[in-house]
Amino acid sequence: MGFIAMIVWFGLAPTCNGDLFPKGDCPPKWRHLYAAPPNEVGDTLAGLAGVFAFIWLIATVLLQSVELGEQRRVLALQKEEMEEQRAATQEIAKANAEQVKISELQYEIYRDEREQRNQAYAQSQAQELCSHIHEALVELFISPQKFSSQSSGTVEVRLMDHLSFNVASGRDLRELATKKLLAGLVQVVGSLSPDDFPEEDIEPSDRLVRLHKHIAELVSLVDKAGPVSKAKYEDEGLFAALMYLDLKFGRPI
């Protein structure tokens, strides 16, 4: 704009040229250009065009420099945003990994708690069933039991009379531990093999069948109650008694 204003000012500035205009007449310079020979007009326009081209070149370089600076600024902002996004992504990945660890820990805690609850429930049921088995053993020894076979018919036996240790009454039996009663049961059942009562032909009494069922249920519960409870009931002789009864009668009764 300044260059154009300078050209306008230069073209409107008065000048005196006695060769082209009468003496004393000082018109603006553009009239000198208008009245000048063609070669001078061409030289003047060529000079102006060169100046305009140079100015345009400088303006183009300046504009490109501004655009490049703006591009560099945008790229720097994009790079900064990408760095922030990468950092945010890393934080999210880290948070997700922590969440996975927390979820796994919570699942392990839940699984352990569930297993402990199941074991506690199985232990409670096992203790209750063990008490029931103890009472069933006492009733089995006190009450006469009917054993039958195809060869000998029905034989009524009072198991308490065949114990290897002396007990006077059912009260004495109730004071004995379950382990002792189970050992007595194995000993008494093992003695039910006289010549007229072949072992392989014996049919157990109904009460003994029910007791066997309770012992089998207890063994199943003990497997769910954990290794400590299993070791405890193994020491009580439950597993051995169950196995012996199955072998004694040739099948699970």
Side-chain angles (χ1 to χ4, degrees):
M1 294 296 294
F3 178 73
I4 294 174
M6 184 181 68
I7 292 175
V8 172
W9 175 80
F10 185 77
L12 294 178
T15 184
C16 298
N17 188 344
D19 296 332
L20 296 177
F21 299 99
K23 188 176 181 180
D25 186 7
C26 296
K29 288 186 177 182
W30 67 268
R31 289 186 60 188
H32 286 268
L33 179 65
Y34 181 76
N39 62 325
E40 293 183 2
V41 173
D43 293 341
T44 301
L45 293 177
L48 290 174
V51 172
F52 275 118
F54 181 73
I55 292 174
W56 182 257
L57 178 62
I58 293 175
T60 302
V61 171
L62 291 175
L63 289 174
Q64 288 181 348
S65 177
V66 171
E67 290 179 356
L68 289 174
E70 185 66 21
Q71 289 178 356
R72 285 195 298 270
R73 188 180 69 83
V74 171
L75 290 175
L77 291 175
Q78 290 179 348
K79 181 179 179 181
E80 184 178 352
E81 290 178 357
M82 290 178 64
E83 291 291 337
E84 292 178 354
Q85 289 178 354
R86 184 176 66 178
T89 302
Q90 291 176 350
E91 290 295 328
I92 292 174
K94 184 178 179 181
N96 289 337
E98 292 294 331
Q99 186 63 38
V100 169
K101 291 181 180 178
I102 293 173
S103 299
E104 291 177 350
L105 181 60
Q106 288 176 342
Y107 174 75
E108 290 178 0
I109 294 173
Y110 167 75
R111 183 185 60 190
D112 292 342
E113 289 180 348
R114 183 180 61 183
E115 184 175 353
Q116 290 175 1
R117 286 195 299 268
N118 291 339
Q119 288 183 359
Y121 177 76
Q123 289 173 3
S124 175
Q125 293 294 104
Q127 289 175 359
E128 182 178 349
L129 189 55
C130 188
S131 299
H132 184 72
I133 288 174
H134 185 277
E135 186 62 29
L137 281 167
V138 173
E139 293 298 327
L140 181 69
F141 282 115
I142 295 174
S143 304
Q145 303 300 312
K146 293 181 179 181
F147 293 87
S148 61
S149 70
Q150 294 179 358
S151 59
S152 304
T154 301
V155 177
E156 190 172 86
V157 180
R158 191 167 183 262
L159 300 182
M160 189 172 69
D161 297 335
H162 296 271
L163 287 171
S164 60
F165 48 88
N166 295 323
V167 287
S169 63
R171 182 175 183 180
D172 293 338
L173 285 172
R174 285 186 174 86
E175 292 177 354
L176 296 177
T178 304
K179 181 177 182 179
K180 184 74 171 178
L181 293 176
L182 286 171
L185 175 64
V186 170
Q187 173 255 310
V188 170
V189 171
S191 67
L192 297 177
S193 302
D195 295 336
D196 58 342
F197 201 19
E199 179 179 346
E200 65 276 5
D201 202 19
I202 299 176
E203 289 292 333
S205 65
D206 293 341
R207 193 179 292 274
L208 183 58
V209 171
R210 289 195 298 271
L211 175 64
H212 178 278
K213 180 180 178 181
H214 292 325
I215 294 176
E217 291 176 358
L218 180 57
V219 169
S220 178
L221 278 174
V222 166
D223 287 336
K224 302 176 183 178
V228 177
S229 295
K230 186 173 183 179
K232 172 187 174 183
Y233 288 105
E234 281 180 349
D235 186 64
E236 290 285 338
L238 287 166
F239 295 87
L242 182 65
M243 185 179 300
Y244 180 80
L245 291 174
D246 289 341
L247 291 174
K248 174 68 179 179
F249 295 101
R251 67 194 185 284
I253 62 176

